[in-house]
Amino acid sequence: MSRRSRDANLAEKAKSLLLGRLAGQIDHSPHFLCPEGFKHEKNESKVKSAVPACKRIYDSIQKVFSNESSSLILTGIRGIGKSYLIDKVLKRLKDERRQFRLVRLNGCIQSDEVVAKVEIDRQLNEYTNSHPLIIILDEFENFATDKQHLLYNLFDSSTSFNMYGSAVFTIGITTRMNVIELLEKRVRSRFSHEQVHLERDIDNKGFLNKWNDAVKKSFTYGFVREYLQDLYYQQVDIREIVTFSDCCLRLMGYREFFDEDLLREVCSIYTLNSQNCLLQDLTTLELSILIAADRIYSLFVGEPFTFEMVFNEYKKFFSKHSSLEMFAKSVVLKSYEKLFDLEILTIADGSTVNNVPKEYHPMKLTVPHEDIERVVADLIDCPTEVKQWVNSLPTQ
Amino acid sequence: MDKHLSEDLTVCGREPQIKTLKSLLRRDIACCSNVFIFGSPGSGKTYTLDKFFNHYKIRRLLINCIELYNSRLIYEFIISTLTDTEKVSVKNENEFIHKLQTSLSDKEEAIYFVFDKADRLRSLEPRVLLNFIKLRELAECNISCVFVTQKLWQEFQTDLGLPRPILIRFPIYTKFELLAIMTEDVPDKCSPALYKTYCSLLFNIFHKACNNLMELRHQAVLNFPKFYQPILDGEATENQVGKLWKNVQGHLKEALRTLYLREISSSKWQRLQEHCLAEGKEVKIQSSKQSSSRVNAELPLFSKYLLIAAFIASHNSAKTDGRLFQKKSAKISKKRQLVGEKKKNERNSTWLLGPKTFTLNRLLDIFTFIVEENLESINLNTSIFNQITSLVSMGLLCQTNASDCIDNPRYKCLVNLSFLEGISKSIDFEVKKYLLDFIEIN
């Protein structure tokens, strides 16, 4: 085997290893998010509220070991590391050799109470002892629907003690801040009213320090910075950073390090403005219809329009410019329907389309005028008349 | 290593997408995030994916979200395909996750769930889409999902806050790529070069209205005999492209009128074409006439009059009825007044906003008037009411208030003008005389 191909094989192996590691981390946010053993180290904590939150949960859980049932709700936006935080606390409890039973439910999977109860039974059957019980309810808001028998039973200390033969500590995890308002009165009064909220507050410099030199260099590229900045301002999902790294690794090919080309490619995938993509793929006819619809929509601000109005506008323009080819009404209607199919046009809010011929369905436009203007200006094979039509002001 | 796998797959015009897919979707470890593939209809999404998975022998499960229209069907389909058993019952998500974990015995190799027409997933419970996006975390398996759709990712976002997948765009084919693909359909008798010229000519006519590969291919195959006829007849040779072109140009313009419509089946179109070729005439289709003549034969005379009366009632305002339906002598002098009224209401015209509702009484008044003016006096009896009901059940009229409202039901006319003109022509009735918007000042 030549040296080159052996190197390639090694690189491939290394890549698999890294990908595997990333894959393992997606379900529990990456290690740099939360401190080990809750110690606040300068460069490690990215979620500032994580340390006190960990402590509060840990302290709260202690009650269950002194045979006192209690409950807690953990809130925070998606991807901030709520489940991960819980895992940390549980791991610490295990390290301390505390004895407990654990049941995990997910509101999206155990979607009704009967299923949830069956699942609790199944998970409890794995234990033969009657140690204190910790129940974790992910997507908690889905349990707070209908009769809320399950929550009532869990929160009510005497009932839960009878049911499970030990003290029960219930942790609800949810993205909804107002979840307590969803609880019924009788359930709410039994809830321990302990709510822990995770807030995100990333320290950018510390984040960068974690990366090795090659990766560090990639952050000097303007477009990567721009992408990360956008991400930081707009989204707060740590998952995206993980998938971004995953995508970088996968697209690496046989490169040794992250380089500019690679990052440019990945960034272009991640920052793809898909809104314009749809418009770019339209035919001249479809664009003409869109422009006609846009003119009517902006003329009668926000009022719904019908196909007949759009066709009328289209006809008016095309009969003025004989050099352009005008299409039959039935063909125009088909193209109009394609726009509807692509959800560029949608049925106007609050109107029904039962018993209305399709030519008269009240529609509204979902793309802003500026987008249409930009896309038409960029098109190469669009007739000049149509290009001017976009910019001319609509009149009655 | 498998020799075959190291060979690269080529699909015309889709090379960059395949390159990205190849790096993202590996056989050993499934992609960390999901992949979202979008593009206009006829941009080769399904075809390319199909080729891709087959070529690189990557495990995948194709889920058609139109066939499997609710979450339970999807779950059962996935489990039954994975376990290779026919009848599986999966009642809920919980069971699905457990069965999925047990049925994926070969945990080493990645498996991809490909959702075709994934936009349909939005109409299911919101948690279904979230669960599939997070499937890898929930099931803790080597799984990843690929969503294929024509819609944008933004349209999938819900208030649950879905993690963003990796977006891959399939743009429409360029002219060059389209021609290369279309040339693969070349018939036996024809040379590829000539067929390519033909496709390019066809493209020039059609591209303003249509960039869908499927439709263009369909039109090309359908209209080819007409293009090739002079060569068969010995009137031209393959080199006289200009002559061939002149021959087919008008024909293609006619075909453009039926783009996407499929009003007559391909075989019918072919027969029509052969018939016209034999008689040396141009092919002409009057699309609107065709559909109305179909209904014509099946409607009794009074039903036709009823439909016309309903149409008039839907498109004129009730205020003008009194003046419009006076005896002939007084009518002409009133016309000027009516036209003034018409001008005022142009924006609110029923031609733009759609038909208005009318009461049964008004329908019967107009009906008796037009019948008496054109035929003879009639007695209204129950058979008339029966005919109204049958018009409603045929979908030509509809009742707008509750159907148990016997007192004074309201109706709306659902047919369009060209359809109605077909009907009125068949009974020699001039409908425009009674439509406010068509009355001209004499």
Side-chain angles (χ1 to χ4, degrees):
Chain A
M1 197 186 277
S2 73
R3 184 157 170 228
R4 201 185 166 79
S5 72
R6 201 178 58 219
D7 281 356
N9 266 346
L10 280 177
E12 193 63 17
K13 248 183 208 165
K15 212 155 96 180
S16 303
L17 203 74
L18 275 176
L19 284 172
R21 221 182 270 171
L22 273 173
Q25 276 173 359
I26 186 77
D27 40 331
H28 306 298
S29 302
H31 69 279
F32 50 75
L33 202 146
C34 187
E36 297 287 333
F38 324 147
K39 257 181 246 150
H40 189 282
E41 283 171 32
K42 206 178 176 190
N43 287 336
E44 267 188 315
S45 169
K46 303 300 164 263
V47 178
K48 271 190 182 158
S49 51
V51 180
C54 259
K55 227 172 214 127
R56 271 181 71 188
I57 297 171
Y58 179 79
D59 292 344
S60 196
I61 283 187
Q62 298 305 321
K63 291 181 200 160
V64 84
F65 295 110
S66 50
N67 251 346
E68 186 190 335
S69 288
S70 172
S71 42
L72 178 143
I73 286 179
L74 178 60
T75 56
I77 36 168
R78 200 168 284 287
I80 196 162
K82 299 181 291 298
S83 307
Y84 177 75
L85 204 67
I86 299 289
D87 284 350
K88 276 279 156 213
V89 175
L90 292 177
K91 187 167 176 288
R92 178 161 170 190
L93 289 174
K94 270 200 190 117
D95 290 346
E96 291 171 358
R97 297 186 189 282
R98 307 300 283 267
Q99 302 277 339
F100 61 90
R101 293 176 294 168
L102 178 67
V103 168
R104 295 192 90 126
L105 300 181
N106 184 316
C108 279
I109 296 177
Q110 286 83 28
S111 47
D112 69 69
E113 292 199 344
V114 180
V115 181
K117 278 174 190 159
V118 171
E119 179 65 19
I120 292 179
D121 254 15
R122 198 189 65 83
Q123 293 193 21
L124 278 180
N125 273 338
E126 289 169 14
Y127 299 93
T128 47
N129 48 35
S130 61
H131 292 306
L133 176 64
I134 297 177
I135 294 189
I136 296 166
L137 305 173
D138 211 341
E139 314 281 351
F140 180 75
E141 72 274 15
N142 288 351
F143 291 103
T145 52
D146 287 347
K147 300 267 187 215
Q148 308 185 353
H149 284 314
L150 179 71
L151 293 185
Y152 178 83
N153 289 340
L154 289 178
F155 286 167
D156 192 68
S157 51
S158 58
T159 339
S160 61
F161 200 91
N162 285 338
M163 279 175 83
Y164 303 108
S166 68
V168 178
F169 189 75
T170 315
I171 303 177
I173 304 180
T174 179
T175 52
R176 284 188 67 158
M177 306 292 168
N178 65 342
V179 73
I180 294 185
E181 286 165 28
L182 298 179
L183 296 178
E184 259 180 46
K185 220 178 188 173
R186 58 184 187 124
V187 178
R188 203 185 308 169
S189 65
R190 280 163 178 81
F191 170 58
S192 308
H193 285 282
E194 182 143 17
Q195 191 171 358
V196 177
H197 181 62
L198 265 188
E199 260 172 29
R200 158 127 157 167
D201 188 81
I202 279 204
D203 182 2
N204 238 336
K205 274 184 191 154
F207 185 79
L208 291 175
N209 282 340
K210 259 314 209 188
W211 293 73
N212 61 34
D213 287 346
V215 181
K216 224 181 221 169
K217 196 179 165 229
S218 60
F219 289 93
T220 59
Y221 301 123
F223 54 91
V224 180
R225 266 181 185 282
E226 226 165 78
Y227 162 71
L228 288 174
Q229 233 156 38
D230 279 356
L231 189 71
Y232 174 63
Y233 289 142
Q234 290 168 11
Q235 258 178 323
V236 268
D237 194 344
I238 199 72
R239 210 179 262 110
E240 179 147 338
I241 297 274
V242 177
T243 62
F244 183 83
S245 327
D246 182 80
C247 193
C248 283
L249 271 175
R250 275 169 203 272
L251 292 179
M252 256 176 104
Y254 293 115
R255 290 181 179 89
E256 276 183 58
F257 295 111
F258 288 7
D259 61 16
E260 197 175 344
D261 284 349
L262 169 75
L263 289 163
R264 206 177 276 282
E265 194 181 340
V266 178
C267 275
S268 74
I269 289 180
Y270 269 81
T271 54
L272 182 74
N273 180 1
S274 43
Q275 189 79 56
N276 288 350
C277 297
L278 264 194
L279 299 183
Q280 278 160 12
D281 284 353
L282 296 180
T283 62
T284 313
L285 172 61
E286 282 148 10
L287 266 181
S288 313
I289 298 169
L290 193 60
I291 296 168
D294 180 51
R295 290 170 70 85
I296 293 172
Y297 202 52
S298 52
L299 188 59
F300 305 101
V301 193
E303 269 186 59
F305 52 85
T306 63
F307 169 71
E308 292 288 340
M309 287 155 95
V310 173
F311 185 69
N312 199 29
E313 183 79 18
Y314 170 84
K315 215 165 57 182
K316 258 198 255 168
F317 176 74
F318 276 75
S319 50
K320 255 188 267 168
H321 300 84
S322 49
S323 62
L324 297 172
E325 188 181 2
M326 195 170 127
F327 291 94
K329 191 171 180 179
S330 48
V331 176
V332 177
L333 181 59
K334 270 285 162 200
S335 296
Y336 183 82
E337 280 173 351
K338 187 186 158 193
L339 292 179
F340 176 68
D341 226 35
L342 293 173
E343 293 182 14
I344 293 174
L345 303 175
T346 52
I347 301 285
D349 302 328
S351 41
T352 53
V353 291
N354 294 343
N355 293 334
V356 179
K358 62 183 171 191
E359 291 95 336
Y360 296 114
H361 284 180
M363 294 283 187
K364 68 171 191 193
L365 209 59
T366 59
V367 287
H369 174 73
E370 291 73 22
D371 278 6
I372 302 176
E373 217 168 32
R374 201 174 327 126
V375 168
V376 171
D378 290 346
L379 280 185
I380 308 158
D381 61 346
C382 181
T384 336
E385 288 93 336
V386 176
K387 282 191 179 184
Q388 286 164 354
W389 191 27
V390 185
N391 299 318
S392 64
L393 283 173
T395 49
Q396 203 156 6
Chain B
M1 215 186 190
D2 201 333
K3 257 267 158 69
H4 175 71
L5 291 181
S6 52
E7 275 171 40
D8 276 340
L9 167 73
T10 48
V11 173
C12 180
R14 296 286 90 126
E15 284 81 11
Q17 282 80 10
I18 290 200
K19 191 171 154 260
T20 315
L21 282 176
K22 195 189 162 200
S23 331
L24 285 176
L25 310 179
R26 295 165 56 105
R27 275 178 83 182
D28 48 357
I29 301 162
C31 193
C32 237
S33 76
N34 304 291
V35 176
F36 184 87
I37 292 176
F38 69 103
S40 292
S43 54
K45 300 180 290 291
T46 316
Y47 176 79
T48 312
L49 268 188
D50 212 44
K51 284 265 171 195
F52 173 79
F53 280 110
N54 285 335
H55 183 88
Y56 292 111
K57 300 214 165 53
I58 300 170
R59 282 174 78 197
R60 62 102 186 250
L61 195 71
L62 188 65
I63 296 147
N64 186 326
C65 299
I66 291 184
E67 263 173 54
L68 306 167
Y69 55 86
N70 66 33
S71 49
R72 199 170 157 175
L73 284 176
I74 298 180
Y75 297 147
E76 286 177 357
F77 173 78
I78 292 176
I79 299 297
S80 76
T81 321
L82 284 178
T83 56
D84 214 9
T85 44
E86 226 160 69
K87 274 195 180 159
V88 188
S89 141
V90 182
K91 287 195 201 76
N92 48 48
E93 283 83 0
N94 194 28
E95 228 173 285
F96 171 64
I97 299 286
H98 288 309
K99 287 198 170 154
L100 187 66
Q101 281 167 337
T102 53
S103 57
L104 282 175
S105 52
D106 181 16
K107 280 203 174 182
E108 285 303 302
E109 201 165 313
I111 181 161
Y112 293 90
F113 290 172
V114 180
F115 292 87
D116 203 1
K117 304 270 185 291
D119 38 293
R120 294 294 177 113
L121 288 175
R122 295 177 303 171
S123 57
L124 309 178
E125 303 91 333
R127 63 164 187 273
V128 176
L129 188 57
L130 180 66
N131 283 346
F132 277 120
I133 287 179
K134 293 177 75 174
L135 191 62
R136 178 200 187 88
E137 303 174 29
L138 297 171
E140 290 163 354
C141 294
N142 201 2
I143 300 179
S144 182
C145 296
V146 178
F147 301 99
V148 184
T149 177
Q150 298 171 8
K151 313 271 157 76
L152 299 177
W153 168 245
Q154 284 98 302
E155 315 280 344
F156 281 71
Q157 256 323 337
T158 61
D159 52 358
L160 286 172
L162 302 176
R164 178 184 151 126
I166 295 175
L167 309 183
I168 298 181
R169 179 193 178 201
F170 277 58
I172 45 162
Y173 291 107
T174 61
K175 179 182 178 180
F176 179 75
E177 290 158 358
L178 274 177
L179 290 182
I181 298 168
M182 282 165 78
T183 315
E184 285 171 18
D185 293 334
V186 58
D188 303 332
K189 53 193 175 181
C190 178
S191 74
L194 182 69
Y195 194 74
K196 194 164 185 179
T197 324
Y198 162 69
C199 286
S200 145
L201 295 171
L202 184 108
F203 177 82
N204 285 341
I205 283 203
F206 278 78
H207 85 279
K208 275 189 187 143
C210 172
N211 53 19
N212 187 329
L213 176 65
M214 268 93 76
E215 185 69 18
L216 284 173
R217 276 172 76 177
H218 169 77
Q219 293 285 356
V221 171
L222 208 56
N223 293 308
F224 185 72
K226 173 79 184 172
F227 177 76
Y228 205 67
Q229 191 65 29
I231 295 178
L232 288 183
D233 293 348
E235 289 168 11
T237 62
E238 290 209 354
N239 296 326
Q240 292 170 299
V241 179
K243 194 171 177 186
L244 290 171
W245 174 237
K246 250 185 211 141
N247 178 44
V248 82
Q249 195 176 18
H251 182 78
L252 286 183
K253 288 240 163 87
E254 195 57 45
L256 190 57
R257 292 170 55 90
T258 63
L259 187 69
Y260 289 125
L261 293 179
R262 309 280 157 93
E263 203 148 63
I264 55 175
S265 64
S266 309
S267 58
K268 223 173 173 184
W269 170 260
Q270 239 152 18
R271 247 181 285 134
L272 189 69
Q273 193 167 251
E274 277 160 22
H275 177 76
C276 290
L277 280 176
E279 296 191 2
K281 278 190 291 187
E282 283 295 313
V283 183
K284 278 247 150 70
I285 313 168
Q286 236 108 57
S287 49
S288 53
K289 253 191 197 156
Q290 283 238 332
S291 57
S292 66
S293 64
R294 224 174 291 140
V295 183
N296 242 341
E298 294 151 20
L299 279 183
L301 184 64
F302 275 179
S303 286
K304 285 180 186 172
Y305 272 108
L306 271 173
L307 196 59
I308 291 169
F311 189 81
I312 293 171
S314 258
H315 287 277
N316 281 350
S317 102
K319 272 189 285 179
T320 57
D321 277 359
R323 278 171 278 161
L324 201 59
F325 297 109
Q326 277 168 356
K327 291 297 165 198
K328 269 179 184 165
S329 53
K331 211 157 83 180
I332 294 157
S333 59
K334 299 282 180 189
K335 264 188 184 166
R336 213 167 279 274
Q337 235 176 328
L338 288 171
V339 171
E341 190 125 351
K342 171 182 127 188
K343 272 271 178 288
K344 242 191 297 175
N345 295 330
E346 196 155 60
R347 161 71 189 146
N348 295 325
S349 156
T350 52
W351 303 108
L352 296 183
L353 291 177
K356 299 249 178 335
T357 59
F358 50 84
T359 60
L360 178 65
N361 287 341
R362 187 162 163 240
L363 171 70
L364 291 178
D365 285 346
I366 298 176
F367 171 69
T368 28
F369 182 86
I370 56 175
V371 169
E372 280 176 0
E373 204 172 55
N374 289 281
L375 298 171
E376 74 278 0
S377 61
I378 52 153
N379 294 322
L380 289 177
N381 54 27
T382 46
S383 89
I384 298 292
F385 293 99
N386 279 342
Q387 292 192 24
I388 294 178
T389 323
S390 71
L391 282 177
V392 170
S393 67
M394 285 163 83
L396 300 173
L397 297 185
C398 75
Q399 188 166 352
T400 52
N401 50 5
S403 56
D404 56 350
C405 181
I406 308 167
D407 228 16
N408 197 5
R410 299 175 72 86
Y411 296 96
K412 197 194 266 183
C413 181
L414 296 183
V415 301
N416 57 22
L417 182 63
S418 56
F419 180 91
L420 194 87
E421 274 180 329
I423 288 213
S424 50
K425 204 172 255 176
S426 72
I427 52 170
D428 275 333
F429 181 84
E430 205 185 316
V431 68
K432 284 190 176 170
K433 219 165 67 181
Y434 298 95
L435 291 172
L436 197 58
D437 294 281
F438 289 97
I439 297 175
E440 302 281 333
I441 307 168
N442 292 326

